[in-house]
């Protein structure tokens, strides 16, 4: 079962594009989403960063620049990553985008 989500936010940095020998490509980027978290008995404003992966949409990669407002929908996945100096692993979550909308004015 996949967990589907949709959210909007600003790009934290320019997208990093990877090209593979197969001819396929993948853009990786982080979206900053404003929210709040519970701390010391009250809610405080906070920013959350979501690592996103966008496969196969080469035509829009050029527009994925720092500060750009986006709306994305897709599903969550994770990779098991070794912890430094340990034999344990942790789950590194990323959001696999299957639909993206560029919001805001022309750049």
């Amino acid at each position: 079962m996949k967990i589907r989500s949709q959210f909007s936010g600003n790009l934290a940095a320019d997208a990093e594009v990877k090209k593979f020998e197969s001819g396929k490509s993948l853009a990786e980027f982080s979206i900053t989403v404003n929210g709040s978290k519970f701390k010391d008995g009250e809610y405080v404003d906070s920013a959350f960063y979501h690592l996103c992966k966008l496969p196969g949409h080469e035509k829009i990669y050029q527009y994925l620049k720092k500060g750009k407002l986006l709306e994305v929908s897709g599903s969550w996945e994770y990779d098991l990553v070794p912890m430094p100096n340990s034999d344990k692993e942790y789950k590194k979550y990323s959001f696999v985008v299957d639909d993206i909308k560029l919001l805001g004015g022309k750049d």
Side-chain angles (χ1 to χ4, degrees), residues 16-80:
E16 181 180 319
V17 177
K18 297 179 180 181
K19 296 193 179 203
F20 302 97
E21 289 181 19
S22 65
K24 296 182 180 183
S25 62
L26 175 74
E28 292 185 327
F29 52 90
S30 289
I31 294 181
T32 306
V33 177
N34 293 325
S36 60
K37 64 181 178 180
F38 198 72
K39 183 176 180 181
D40 298 326
E42 63 184 11
Y43 285 98
V44 294
D45 291 339
S46 185
F48 299 93
Y49 296 87
H50 301 300
L51 173 62
C52 298
K53 296 179 180 181
L54 177 64
H57 287 77
E58 294 86 359
K59 292 181 181 180
I60 67 165
Y61 290 168
Q62 64 183 322
Y63 302 107
L64 301 179
K65 302 294 182 191
K66 181 178 180 177
K68 183 70 179 169
L69 180 61
L70 304 175
E71 179 182 285
V72 295
S73 60
S75 57
W76 293 96
E77 71 175 15
Y78 68 86
D79 295 311
L80 292 175

